[in-house]
Amino acid sequence: DAGITQSPRYKITETGRQVTLMCHQTWSHSYMFWYRQDLGHGLRLIYYSAAADITDKGEVPDGYVVSRSKTENFPLTLESATRSQTSVYFCASSESTSAQGYFGAGTRLSVL
Amino acid sequence: KQEVTQIPAALSVPEGENLVLNCSFTDSAIYNLQWFRQDPGKGLTSLLLIQSSQREQTSGRLNASLDKSSGRSTLYIAASQPGDSATYLCAAPSGGSYIPTFGRGTSLIVHP
């Protein structure tokens, strides 16, 4: 199916563990983005990528790592999860810089 | 840094009313402004994209206007329906950037 897929949809982990959230898009869009959404803060950009092997920090990158070895995949890794990283994470892709095209359904992460 | 504010934060109206949702932004040197819809537990869906050279965009019962000089955009929903119940977010990039800053959204409930 065409689209943007995030996995897992739900994840519970413990403080200090490494967690990787996956994002896969089927359109070969150049641009991909990771956001977190929290009550009281709205959507905040974590990292973004303009093409394979090109990534850049967003507003709240601390504690996160990304990679983009293939155009269609953009995984987000929490190297050592903290309770403050409990959030809903959204991946997005777009074919140009003119608009945020498509969002995934989100991953709800709880860090205990 | 771009700041995006949405008023009201929440709105509850009877079916059939015409609605206006407001979005203001601090940096008027924007390439575009975009309105999204988010249903509970879901990702964002793009509704309307207004380029900086445009004054408004229409899609069905939705009309979005943009006034860069005053730093404002409005989303007009005609003849609201219960299916319009969702959170509506606007997003605008900072001047010279294509990376958008999101408002915190307006949560809309349309009751029968």
Side-chain angles (χ1 to χ4, degrees), chain A residues 57-68:
Chain A
K57 296 178 180 179
E59 181 183 355
V60 289
D62 293 344
Y64 303 95
V65 174
V66 293
S67 61
R68 194 158 177 218

Side-chain angles (χ1 to χ4, degrees), chain A:
Chain A
D1 290 339
I4 183 164
T5 305
Q6 292 185 237
S7 61
R9 289 294 316 280
Y10 304 92
K11 177 74 176 178
I12 299 174
T13 191
E14 295 177 340
T15 301
R17 292 193 179 266
Q18 183 180 82
V19 177
T20 296
L21 310 184
M22 305 301 293
C23 179
H24 174 80
Q25 51 109 350
T26 61
W27 296 292
S28 297
H29 285 166
S30 295
Y31 299 88
M32 295 188 76
F33 308 82
W34 273 108
Y35 292 90
R36 60 177 291 174
Q37 187 175 37
D38 306 285
L39 284 175
H41 287 283
L43 273 162
R44 292 180 292 174
L45 182 66
I46 305 171
Y47 270 96
Y48 63 100
S49 169
D53 297 321
I54 300 174
T55 62
D56 210 344
K57 296 178 180 179
E59 181 183 355
V60 289
D62 293 344
Y64 303 95
V65 174
V66 293
S67 61
R68 194 158 177 218
S69 57
K70 294 183 178 181
T71 299
E72 61 267 29
N73 296 323
F74 191 37
L76 175 73
T77 298
L78 288 66
E79 295 185 295
S80 178
T82 65
R83 290 196 179 91
S84 66
Q85 292 177 310
T86 292
S87 186
V88 181
Y89 292 84
F90 289 101
C91 178
S93 73
S94 65
E95 60 186 0
S96 72
T97 58
S98 63
Q100 296 285 286
Y102 301 92
F103 277 75
T107 294
R108 185 174 295 273
L109 176 68
S110 295
V111 183
L112 305 179

Side-chain angles (χ1 to χ4, degrees), chain B residues 30-106:
Chain B
I30 59 173
Y31 291 134
N32 56 56
L33 184 140
Q34 196 160 1
W35 282 92
F36 292 86
R37 168 183 173 140
Q38 185 176 27
D39 293 288
K42 302 288 181 64
L44 280 67
T45 300
S46 178
L47 296 173
L48 291 164
L49 170 69
I50 312 174
Q51 300 292 350
S52 61
S53 59
Q54 299 174 318
R55 296 283 298 192
E56 63 179 66
Q57 278 286 339
T58 299
S59 176
R61 294 182 293 108
L62 305 179
N63 175 276
S65 65
L66 175 63
D67 184 345
K68 285 179 57 179
S69 61
S70 66
R72 294 180 181 178
S73 176
T74 60
L75 178 67
Y76 177 81
I77 303 176
S80 59
Q81 302 171 358
D84 295 329
S85 299
T87 297
Y88 292 81
L89 298 98
C90 72
S94 296
S97 166
Y98 64 89
I99 305 298
T101 297
F102 284 81
R104 295 183 184 181
T106 293

